[in-house]
Amino acid sequence: SSSIRNKIRRNLVRGTESLGIYLAPGSDENEVSRNRISGHFSGGIGIFLGNENDVSHNDVIDNGFEGRTIAGNGTDVSHNDVTNNREAGIRVYPSSTNTRIDRNRAKRNAVGIFVAGGDGTTISRNRLSENLEDGMFVDASAGNTRVERNIATLNGDDGIDVQSIETVIRRNVANHNVDLGIEAVSGVIDGGRNVASGNGDPAECVEVACR
């Protein structure tokens, strides 16, 4: 059932067949912070159709699917360490609005941050490294997305891959990725001051200018 204004703090949650921490639909204004969540078959933290929840300073490691799944309104996800999860470190689902993903470290996941849709997502100041595929992927269905001040290095495909034209790409650094530093589709909004070097594709960036 739904829960409102709870604080889930400083727990060690390890090894179940389901999610480590689950906020059911209608769970609003909860805080999930400073937990260590590992070894869960279905993922680390799941937020489904809640409003204004805060998820911060958690270690989400070695889970079977996503480290964190977001489907809600106004979710803040910040300062988390999301490592070695089998699929995405952080996934934003199409039903999400106004999600803020800030200052997280996503390392050695299949994809670091995966925006599968939604509207008004801001992805800023995250460190994305050594993920098996892209450091970040933004699906074509995502609307009004901002990708800014992220650092993507040593990822197995692109550092940042943006397929939505409703995306501003600004002041990111993408170095030493296997394919491109930043891959984008024609029509994205180039906010400028992106940097890319040492990537496997000598073009470094597509559809945005990189220096």
Side-chain angles (χ1 to χ4, degrees):
S1 63
S2 60
S3 298
I4 298 174
R5 300 191 186 94
N6 295 287
K7 298 182 186 298
I8 305 170
R9 292 178 175 170
R10 299 185 185 279
N11 297 285
L12 176 62
V13 188
R14 183 184 297 165
T16 68
E17 290 295 310
S18 59
L19 287 161
I21 295 174
Y22 169 68
L23 300 184
S27 296
D28 301 336
E29 299 178 41
N30 297 287
E31 176 189 328
V32 180
S33 66
R34 301 188 185 279
N35 302 285
R36 183 177 178 87
I37 302 154
S38 64
H40 298 279
F41 179 79
S42 297
I45 300 172
I47 299 171
F48 295 95
L49 304 178
N51 298 298
E52 305 298 332
N53 291 293
D54 178 80
V55 182
S56 63
H57 297 94
N58 299 283
D59 293 331
V60 187
I61 299 169
D62 293 320
N63 295 287
F65 289 94
E66 273 82 30
R68 183 167 296 105
T69 302
I70 303 161
N73 178 58
T75 306
D76 276 329
V77 180
S78 66
H79 296 94
N80 299 283
D81 186 344
V82 187
T83 306
N84 287 339
N85 297 286
R86 189 176 299 171
E87 295 190 8
I90 299 170
R91 183 186 292 263
V92 178
Y93 272 82
S95 54
S96 301
T97 58
N98 301 323
T99 303
R100 295 170 291 275
I101 303 173
D102 184 65
R103 298 178 191 266
N104 301 281
R105 186 178 76 155
K107 185 174 183 178
R108 294 195 300 270
N109 307 283
V111 178
I113 297 173
F114 191 115
V115 182
D119 187 75
T121 303
T122 298
I123 312 157
S124 61
R125 292 176 286 192
N126 301 282
R127 291 183 175 269
L128 316 166
S129 65
E130 299 177 54
N131 295 287
L132 296 178
E133 301 172 24
D134 297 323
M136 180 195 307
F137 181 86
V138 179
D139 187 79
S141 63
N144 301 308
T145 305
R146 298 188 68 85
V147 175
E148 54 190 12
R149 296 177 182 255
N150 300 283
I151 299 174
T153 59
L154 300 171
N155 295 288
D157 191 5
D158 302 317
I160 297 171
D161 187 340
V162 175
Q163 299 298 306
S164 169
I165 62 172
E166 295 185 23
T167 304
V168 177
I169 305 173
R170 174 177 175 266
R171 298 188 70 174
N172 300 282
V173 175
N175 296 335
H176 303 293
N177 299 286
V178 169
D179 194 7
L180 287 157
I182 301 175
E183 179 176 358
V185 292
S186 177
V188 299
I189 303 166
D190 185 350
R193 300 183 70 178
N194 295 292
V195 176
S197 68
N199 295 288
D201 190 324
E204 303 288 0
C205 296
V206 173
E207 300 296 341
V208 295
C210 292
R211 55 185 176 87

Short mmCIF file of all heavy atoms in Angstrom, two decimals, residues 64-109:
data_model
loop_
_atom_site.label_atom_id
_atom_site.label_comp_id
_atom_site.label_asym_id
_atom_site.label_seq_id
_atom_site.Cartn_x
_atom_site.Cartn_y
_atom_site.Cartn_z
N GLY A 64 20.28 -7.94 -9.68
CA GLY A 64 20.03 -8.71 -10.89
C GLY A 64 19.53 -7.89 -12.06
O GLY A 64 19.88 -8.17 -13.19
N PHE A 65 18.72 -6.88 -11.80
CA PHE A 65 18.24 -6.03 -12.87
C PHE A 65 18.69 -4.60 -12.59
O PHE A 65 19.87 -4.36 -12.36
CB PHE A 65 16.73 -6.17 -13.02
CG PHE A 65 16.35 -7.50 -13.61
CD1 PHE A 65 16.03 -8.57 -12.78
CD2 PHE A 65 16.35 -7.70 -14.97
CE1 PHE A 65 15.70 -9.80 -13.32
CE2 PHE A 65 16.03 -8.93 -15.53
CZ PHE A 65 15.69 -9.98 -14.69
N GLU A 66 17.80 -3.63 -12.60
CA GLU A 66 18.21 -2.25 -12.39
C GLU A 66 18.69 -2.02 -10.96
O GLU A 66 18.18 -2.62 -10.02
CB GLU A 66 17.04 -1.29 -12.66
CG GLU A 66 16.92 -0.88 -14.11
CD GLU A 66 16.18 -1.92 -14.92
OE1 GLU A 66 15.34 -2.62 -14.37
OE2 GLU A 66 16.49 -2.04 -16.11
N GLY A 67 19.63 -1.09 -10.82
CA GLY A 67 19.93 -0.60 -9.50
C GLY A 67 18.75 0.19 -8.95
O GLY A 67 18.35 0.02 -7.80
N ARG A 68 18.18 1.02 -9.83
CA ARG A 68 17.08 1.88 -9.38
C ARG A 68 16.10 2.08 -10.53
O ARG A 68 16.50 2.38 -11.66
CB ARG A 68 17.64 3.23 -8.96
CG ARG A 68 16.62 4.18 -8.42
CD ARG A 68 17.29 5.35 -7.75
NE ARG A 68 18.03 4.90 -6.59
CZ ARG A 68 19.36 4.78 -6.56
NH1 ARG A 68 20.06 5.09 -7.60
NH2 ARG A 68 19.97 4.36 -5.48
N THR A 69 14.81 1.90 -10.25
CA THR A 69 13.74 2.08 -11.22
C THR A 69 12.85 3.22 -10.78
O THR A 69 12.39 3.23 -9.65
CB THR A 69 12.90 0.79 -11.33
OG1 THR A 69 13.75 -0.29 -11.70
CG2 THR A 69 11.81 0.95 -12.37
N ILE A 70 12.60 4.18 -11.68
CA ILE A 70 11.83 5.37 -11.32
C ILE A 70 10.62 5.48 -12.23
O ILE A 70 10.75 5.50 -13.46
CB ILE A 70 12.69 6.64 -11.47
CG1 ILE A 70 13.95 6.54 -10.61
CG2 ILE A 70 11.88 7.89 -11.11
CD1 ILE A 70 15.03 7.50 -11.04
N ALA A 71 9.45 5.55 -11.64
CA ALA A 71 8.22 5.83 -12.38
C ALA A 71 7.35 6.68 -11.46
O ALA A 71 6.57 6.17 -10.68
CB ALA A 71 7.51 4.55 -12.77
N GLY A 72 7.54 7.97 -11.53
CA GLY A 72 6.81 8.85 -10.62
C GLY A 72 6.97 10.30 -11.02
O GLY A 72 7.52 10.62 -12.08
N ASN A 73 6.53 11.19 -10.15
CA ASN A 73 6.58 12.62 -10.42
C ASN A 73 7.49 13.31 -9.41
O ASN A 73 7.34 13.15 -8.20
CB ASN A 73 5.18 13.23 -10.32
CG ASN A 73 5.20 14.73 -10.54
OD1 ASN A 73 5.65 15.21 -11.57
ND2 ASN A 73 4.73 15.48 -9.55
N GLY A 74 8.45 14.08 -9.92
CA GLY A 74 9.28 14.89 -9.06
C GLY A 74 10.25 14.11 -8.20
O GLY A 74 10.59 14.54 -7.09
N THR A 75 10.73 12.97 -8.68
CA THR A 75 11.68 12.17 -7.92
C THR A 75 13.08 12.78 -8.00
O THR A 75 13.56 13.11 -9.09
CB THR A 75 11.73 10.73 -8.44
OG1 THR A 75 10.41 10.19 -8.47
CG2 THR A 75 12.61 9.86 -7.56
N ASP A 76 13.74 12.92 -6.85
CA ASP A 76 15.13 13.36 -6.78
C ASP A 76 16.02 12.16 -6.52
O ASP A 76 15.82 11.44 -5.53
CB ASP A 76 15.32 14.36 -5.64
CG ASP A 76 14.97 15.78 -6.04
OD1 ASP A 76 15.13 16.12 -7.22
OD2 ASP A 76 14.52 16.53 -5.17
N VAL A 77 17.00 11.95 -7.38
CA VAL A 77 17.96 10.85 -7.23
C VAL A 77 19.35 11.46 -7.24
O VAL A 77 19.81 11.94 -8.28
CB VAL A 77 17.81 9.82 -8.37
CG1 VAL A 77 18.80 8.69 -8.22
CG2 VAL A 77 16.39 9.29 -8.42
N SER A 78 20.03 11.48 -6.09
CA SER A 78 21.30 12.20 -6.03
C SER A 78 22.31 11.50 -5.12
O SER A 78 21.94 10.82 -4.15
CB SER A 78 21.07 13.63 -5.52
OG SER A 78 20.63 13.62 -4.18
N HIS A 79 23.58 11.65 -5.47
CA HIS A 79 24.70 11.20 -4.64
C HIS A 79 24.65 9.70 -4.32
O HIS A 79 25.03 9.28 -3.23
CB HIS A 79 24.76 12.00 -3.34
CG HIS A 79 25.01 13.46 -3.53
ND1 HIS A 79 23.97 14.37 -3.62
CD2 HIS A 79 26.15 14.17 -3.65
CE1 HIS A 79 24.47 15.58 -3.78
NE2 HIS A 79 25.80 15.49 -3.82
N ASN A 80 24.16 8.90 -5.26
CA ASN A 80 24.14 7.46 -5.08
C ASN A 80 25.30 6.80 -5.83
O ASN A 80 25.76 7.31 -6.85
CB ASN A 80 22.82 6.88 -5.59
CG ASN A 80 21.63 7.43 -4.84
OD1 ASN A 80 21.34 7.04 -3.73
ND2 ASN A 80 20.93 8.39 -5.47
N ASP A 81 25.74 5.66 -5.31
CA ASP A 81 26.75 4.85 -5.97
C ASP A 81 26.04 3.61 -6.51
O ASP A 81 25.55 2.78 -5.74
CB ASP A 81 27.82 4.46 -4.95
CG ASP A 81 29.01 3.74 -5.58
OD1 ASP A 81 28.87 3.27 -6.73
OD2 ASP A 81 30.06 3.63 -4.93
N VAL A 82 25.97 3.50 -7.83
CA VAL A 82 25.19 2.45 -8.49
C VAL A 82 26.17 1.63 -9.33
O VAL A 82 26.63 2.08 -10.38
CB VAL A 82 24.08 3.05 -9.36
CG1 VAL A 82 23.18 1.97 -9.89
CG2 VAL A 82 23.26 4.07 -8.56
N THR A 83 26.50 0.42 -8.87
CA THR A 83 27.63 -0.32 -9.42
C THR A 83 27.28 -1.78 -9.65
O THR A 83 26.61 -2.41 -8.82
CB THR A 83 28.83 -0.24 -8.46
OG1 THR A 83 29.12 1.13 -8.17
CG2 THR A 83 30.06 -0.89 -9.06
N ASN A 84 27.75 -2.32 -10.78
CA ASN A 84 27.68 -3.76 -11.06
C ASN A 84 26.26 -4.31 -11.09
O ASN A 84 26.03 -5.47 -10.72
CB ASN A 84 28.49 -4.57 -10.03
CG ASN A 84 29.99 -4.42 -10.21
OD1 ASN A 84 30.46 -4.06 -11.28
ND2 ASN A 84 30.73 -4.69 -9.16
N ASN A 85 25.30 -3.52 -11.56
CA ASN A 85 23.94 -4.02 -11.72
C ASN A 85 23.78 -4.58 -13.14
O ASN A 85 24.35 -4.05 -14.10
CB ASN A 85 22.94 -2.91 -11.44
CG ASN A 85 23.05 -2.46 -10.00
OD1 ASN A 85 22.62 -3.15 -9.08
ND2 ASN A 85 23.66 -1.29 -9.78
N ARG A 86 23.01 -5.65 -13.28
CA ARG A 86 23.00 -6.41 -14.52
C ARG A 86 22.42 -5.64 -15.69
O ARG A 86 22.82 -5.84 -16.83
CB ARG A 86 22.23 -7.72 -14.33
CG ARG A 86 22.34 -8.67 -15.50
CD ARG A 86 21.63 -9.97 -15.21
NE ARG A 86 22.22 -10.63 -14.05
CZ ARG A 86 21.69 -11.70 -13.46
NH1 ARG A 86 20.54 -12.19 -13.91
NH2 ARG A 86 22.28 -12.25 -12.42
N GLU A 87 21.47 -4.76 -15.44
CA GLU A 87 20.93 -3.94 -16.52
C GLU A 87 21.30 -2.48 -16.26
O GLU A 87 22.47 -2.18 -16.10
CB GLU A 87 19.43 -4.19 -16.67
CG GLU A 87 19.15 -5.63 -17.12
CD GLU A 87 17.72 -5.87 -17.50
OE1 GLU A 87 16.93 -4.91 -17.58
OE2 GLU A 87 17.36 -7.04 -17.76
N ALA A 88 20.35 -1.57 -16.21
CA ALA A 88 20.69 -0.16 -16.02
C ALA A 88 21.02 0.12 -14.55
O ALA A 88 20.41 -0.45 -13.65
CB ALA A 88 19.54 0.73 -16.47
N GLY A 89 21.95 1.02 -14.34
CA GLY A 89 22.18 1.48 -12.98
C GLY A 89 20.98 2.28 -12.48
O GLY A 89 20.48 2.03 -11.39
N ILE A 90 20.52 3.22 -13.30
CA ILE A 90 19.32 4.01 -13.01
C ILE A 90 18.45 4.01 -14.26
O ILE A 90 18.94 4.34 -15.35
CB ILE A 90 19.68 5.45 -12.61
CG1 ILE A 90 20.54 5.47 -11.34
CG2 ILE A 90 18.42 6.30 -12.42
CD1 ILE A 90 21.14 6.83 -11.02
N ARG A 91 17.18 3.65 -14.13
CA ARG A 91 16.26 3.65 -15.27
C ARG A 91 15.05 4.52 -14.96
O ARG A 91 14.41 4.37 -13.92
CB ARG A 91 15.78 2.23 -15.61
CG ARG A 91 14.87 2.18 -16.85
CD ARG A 91 14.30 0.78 -17.05
NE ARG A 91 15.33 -0.17 -17.42
CZ ARG A 91 15.60 -0.55 -18.68
NH1 ARG A 91 14.92 -0.02 -19.69
NH2 ARG A 91 16.54 -1.44 -18.92
N VAL A 92 14.74 5.43 -15.89
CA VAL A 92 13.56 6.29 -15.79
C VAL A 92 12.52 5.77 -16.77
O VAL A 92 12.78 5.68 -17.98
CB VAL A 92 13.92 7.75 -16.12
CG1 VAL A 92 12.69 8.63 -16.05
CG2 VAL A 92 15.01 8.26 -15.17
N TYR A 93 11.33 5.44 -16.26
CA TYR A 93 10.28 4.85 -17.08
C TYR A 93 9.39 5.93 -17.71
O TYR A 93 9.35 7.07 -17.26
CB TYR A 93 9.45 3.88 -16.25
CG TYR A 93 10.04 2.49 -16.26
CD1 TYR A 93 11.08 2.15 -15.40
CD2 TYR A 93 9.58 1.53 -17.15
CE1 TYR A 93 11.64 0.89 -15.43
CE2 TYR A 93 10.13 0.26 -17.18
CZ TYR A 93 11.16 -0.06 -16.32
OH TYR A 93 11.72 -1.30 -16.36
N PRO A 94 8.64 5.56 -18.77
CA PRO A 94 7.84 6.55 -19.51
C PRO A 94 6.82 7.30 -18.68
O PRO A 94 6.45 8.43 -19.04
CB PRO A 94 7.16 5.69 -20.60
CG PRO A 94 8.11 4.58 -20.84
CD PRO A 94 8.67 4.25 -19.48
N SER A 95 6.33 6.74 -17.60
CA SER A 95 5.32 7.43 -16.79
C SER A 95 5.91 8.49 -15.86
O SER A 95 5.19 9.12 -15.09
CB SER A 95 4.54 6.40 -15.96
OG SER A 95 5.42 5.60 -15.20
N SER A 96 7.21 8.71 -15.93
CA SER A 96 7.87 9.65 -15.02
C SER A 96 7.80 11.08 -15.54
O SER A 96 7.89 11.32 -16.74
CB SER A 96 9.34 9.26 -14.84
OG SER A 96 9.46 7.95 -14.33
N THR A 97 7.68 12.03 -14.60
CA THR A 97 7.76 13.44 -14.96
C THR A 97 8.66 14.17 -13.96
O THR A 97 8.70 13.84 -12.77
CB THR A 97 6.37 14.10 -14.93
OG1 THR A 97 5.78 13.94 -13.63
CG2 THR A 97 5.44 13.48 -15.96
N ASN A 98 9.41 15.12 -14.48
CA ASN A 98 10.23 16.02 -13.66
C ASN A 98 11.17 15.27 -12.71
O ASN A 98 11.32 15.61 -11.54
CB ASN A 98 9.33 16.98 -12.86
CG ASN A 98 8.46 17.82 -13.76
OD1 ASN A 98 8.90 18.24 -14.83
ND2 ASN A 98 7.23 18.05 -13.36
N THR A 99 11.81 14.25 -13.24
CA THR A 99 12.81 13.50 -12.48
C THR A 99 14.15 14.24 -12.53
O THR A 99 14.56 14.72 -13.59
CB THR A 99 12.98 12.09 -13.07
OG1 THR A 99 11.72 11.42 -13.05
CG2 THR A 99 13.99 11.28 -12.28
N ARG A 100 14.83 14.29 -11.39
CA ARG A 100 16.15 14.93 -11.31
C ARG A 100 17.17 13.89 -10.90
O ARG A 100 17.08 13.29 -9.82
CB ARG A 100 16.10 16.09 -10.32
CG ARG A 100 15.19 17.21 -10.76
CD ARG A 100 14.97 18.24 -9.67
NE ARG A 100 14.18 17.73 -8.56
CZ ARG A 100 12.85 17.71 -8.53
NH1 ARG A 100 12.16 18.17 -9.58
NH2 ARG A 100 12.19 17.24 -7.48
N ILE A 101 18.16 13.65 -11.76
CA ILE A 101 19.22 12.67 -11.51
C ILE A 101 20.53 13.44 -11.44
O ILE A 101 21.05 13.90 -12.46
CB ILE A 101 19.25 11.60 -12.61
CG1 ILE A 101 17.88 10.92 -12.73
CG2 ILE A 101 20.34 10.57 -12.34
CD1 ILE A 101 17.77 9.98 -13.90
N ASP A 102 21.08 13.60 -10.25
CA ASP A 102 22.18 14.54 -10.05
C ASP A 102 23.28 13.94 -9.18
O ASP A 102 23.00 13.35 -8.13
CB ASP A 102 21.63 15.81 -9.38
CG ASP A 102 22.68 16.89 -9.22
OD1 ASP A 102 23.17 17.39 -10.24
OD2 ASP A 102 23.02 17.19 -8.05
N ARG A 103 24.52 14.06 -9.64
CA ARG A 103 25.71 13.73 -8.85
C ARG A 103 25.75 12.27 -8.39
O ARG A 103 26.19 11.96 -7.29
CB ARG A 103 25.83 14.66 -7.63
CG ARG A 103 25.99 16.13 -7.98
CD ARG A 103 26.05 16.96 -6.72
NE ARG A 103 25.94 18.37 -7.00
CZ ARG A 103 26.97 19.21 -7.17
NH1 ARG A 103 28.21 18.76 -7.09
NH2 ARG A 103 26.76 20.51 -7.40
N ASN A 104 25.31 11.37 -9.23
CA ASN A 104 25.43 9.95 -8.95
C ASN A 104 26.68 9.39 -9.64
O ASN A 104 27.16 9.95 -10.62
CB ASN A 104 24.20 9.19 -9.45
CG ASN A 104 22.93 9.70 -8.82
OD1 ASN A 104 22.61 9.38 -7.69
ND2 ASN A 104 22.20 10.55 -9.55
N ARG A 105 27.15 8.25 -9.12
CA ARG A 105 28.21 7.52 -9.80
C ARG A 105 27.64 6.20 -10.29
O ARG A 105 27.16 5.40 -9.48
CB ARG A 105 29.40 7.25 -8.87
CG ARG A 105 30.57 6.62 -9.62
CD ARG A 105 31.75 6.41 -8.72
NE ARG A 105 31.56 5.26 -7.85
CZ ARG A 105 32.57 4.55 -7.32
NH1 ARG A 105 33.82 4.91 -7.55
NH2 ARG A 105 32.31 3.53 -6.53
N ALA A 106 27.67 5.97 -11.59
CA ALA A 106 27.16 4.74 -12.19
C ALA A 106 28.32 4.05 -12.90
O ALA A 106 28.84 4.54 -13.90
CB ALA A 106 26.03 5.04 -13.17
N LYS A 107 28.72 2.90 -12.35
CA LYS A 107 29.93 2.24 -12.82
C LYS A 107 29.70 0.74 -12.99
O LYS A 107 29.08 0.09 -12.14
CB LYS A 107 31.05 2.48 -11.80
CG LYS A 107 32.41 1.95 -12.21
CD LYS A 107 33.45 2.37 -11.18
CE LYS A 107 34.84 1.94 -11.59
NZ LYS A 107 35.87 2.38 -10.61
N ARG A 108 30.17 0.21 -14.13
CA ARG A 108 30.15 -1.22 -14.42
C ARG A 108 28.74 -1.82 -14.39
O ARG A 108 28.55 -2.97 -14.00
CB ARG A 108 31.09 -1.99 -13.48
CG ARG A 108 32.56 -1.64 -13.69
CD ARG A 108 33.47 -2.67 -13.02
NE ARG A 108 33.27 -2.74 -11.59
CZ ARG A 108 33.92 -1.99 -10.71
NH1 ARG A 108 34.83 -1.11 -11.12
NH2 ARG A 108 33.68 -2.11 -9.42
N ASN A 109 27.74 -1.06 -14.82
CA ASN A 109 26.41 -1.60 -15.09
C ASN A 109 26.33 -1.95 -16.58
O ASN A 109 27.25 -1.67 -17.34
CB ASN A 109 25.35 -0.57 -14.73
CG ASN A 109 25.52 -0.06 -13.31
OD1 ASN A 109 25.17 -0.73 -12.35
ND2 ASN A 109 26.07 1.15 -13.16
#
